[in-house]
Amino acid sequence: MSEERFGEFVLVRRHGDGHVAELALDRPKAMNAVSSGMARAIAGACAALGEDRDVRVVVLTSTHERAFCVGADLKERNSLSDAELLRQRPVSRGAYTGVLELPVPVIAAVHGYALGGGFELALSCDVIVADRTAVVGLPEVSVGVLPGGGGTQLLPRRVGAARAAELVFTARRVEAAEARELGLVDVLVDEGRDREEALAMAARIAGNSPVGVRAAKRALRLGQGLDLRAGLEVEDAAWRTVAFSGDRAEGVAAFNEKRTPQWPGE
């Protein structure tokens, strides 16, 4: 396993043959509160991972024992003037869009607190694995703002408009069992097993065609919110990008020859 640090607060680990990359939030003294420096590091790490064709899956984790991420760094925010806050906004957004726009599947491994921007980082992922210590929520209106890292758009896509409204307007925290029941997280595992399960899921995904998986993610994302006819056109366009690929040829050949595919990734 190799490691690379982005800024002071983000660590990227490459597992096995490098097809699974772990992006670890590593600001333990602040329970991974997202400062401007940390936001830049997340964005930088995502940009590098997105350009690396060897990376097939990204797992977003935390090095803190009791928290995934507690959201924006409110101590830093309190020190900013209005003009500084306005200039800081695209820096903050860059962290969330960095995760959201990764071209490969992204799995969040959540334990402890995932609140505000921390939960929005998880919502920016494709799948959320949580252990039984997880507590999630979007409490922004309780401190005079609103979810600004994608929460007002990503949460209703998961749980519907009315449920999202209730959660955003009340600012309430949701513990793991209810979070799984409501669809706020996708997989619930025993305490301490979130990272292990997320990495295992990533390894399974990485064994599939990287061309096929990337195209499937594009179709899933671009088709959201479209009517069925338009969505099927998105799917057809994605199919055309893989139908004549080396991966498709190798996959069919390996199936017929009863062997494990050796994906060319193109």
Side-chain angles (χ1 to χ4, degrees):
M1 180 173 65
S2 64
E3 294 187 348
E4 179 182 5
R5 187 166 286 279
F6 287 80
E8 187 179 354
F9 304 127
V10 171
L11 181 65
V12 171
R13 302 183 178 109
R14 307 296 182 101
H15 292 266
D17 52 13
H19 294 323
V20 174
E22 179 184 358
L23 194 165
L25 306 176
D26 188 32
R27 195 186 179 202
K29 292 183 179 179
M31 298 180 82
N32 290 331
V34 182
S35 63
S36 297
M38 188 172 183
R40 289 190 186 95
I42 294 170
C46 288
L49 292 171
E51 293 172 359
D52 189 340
R53 297 295 296 188
D54 284 337
V55 173
R56 299 181 182 179
V57 191
V58 174
V59 179
L60 183 60
T61 68
S62 162
T63 63
H64 196 282
E65 292 182 355
R66 295 189 295 111
F68 175 73
C69 173
V70 294
D73 185 339
L74 296 184
K75 290 183 179 179
E76 179 190 65
R77 293 284 177 89
N78 191 49
S79 71
L80 300 178
S81 67
D82 287 353
E84 289 169 333
L85 181 61
L86 189 60
R87 287 195 296 270
Q88 194 264 355
R89 173 62 175 162
V91 174
S92 175
R93 286 192 70 187
Y96 303 102
T97 57
V99 175
L100 187 65
E101 294 177 0
L102 278 165
V104 297
V106 188
I107 304 167
V110 174
H111 58 266
Y113 297 110
L115 300 172
F119 188 39
E120 288 173 306
L121 284 173
L123 289 172
S124 298
C125 299
D126 299 291
V127 180
I128 302 175
V129 176
D131 82 356
R132 296 187 182 279
T133 69
V135 179
V136 306
L138 297 175
E140 284 88 345
V141 298
S142 69
V143 293
V145 290
L146 60 83
T152 65
Q153 304 305 305
L154 295 170
L155 188 59
R157 283 168 166 78
R158 271 186 163 267
V159 301
R163 179 65 69 193
E166 181 262 319
L167 292 166
V168 170
F169 297 160
T170 63
R172 71 182 179 94
R173 300 180 179 190
V174 182
E175 295 188 358
E178 185 185 4
R180 174 66 186 90
E181 181 181 341
L182 296 179
L184 302 176
V185 304
D186 304 302
V187 179
L188 187 59
V189 298
D190 291 339
E191 181 176 347
R193 293 199 57 222
D194 53 295
R195 178 174 176 268
E196 176 187 349
E197 179 59 33
L199 287 170
M201 183 185 297
R204 292 195 294 272
I205 294 170
N208 294 322
S209 160
V211 171
V213 169
R214 282 173 176 249
K217 175 164 179 170
R218 279 200 310 277
L220 286 163
R221 284 288 178 88
L222 293 176
Q224 287 183 4
L226 300 179
D227 63 55
L228 179 58
R229 186 181 296 274
L232 290 173
E233 291 304 316
V234 167
E235 181 181 83
D236 185 66
W239 177 87
R240 291 174 186 275
T241 68
V242 304
F244 310 105
S245 68
D247 272 15
R248 196 276 307 172
E250 168 62 9
V252 172
F255 177 83
N256 284 291
E257 295 165 16
K258 296 181 172 58
R259 59 175 175 81
T260 301
Q262 301 298 313
W263 305 115
E266 57 186 18

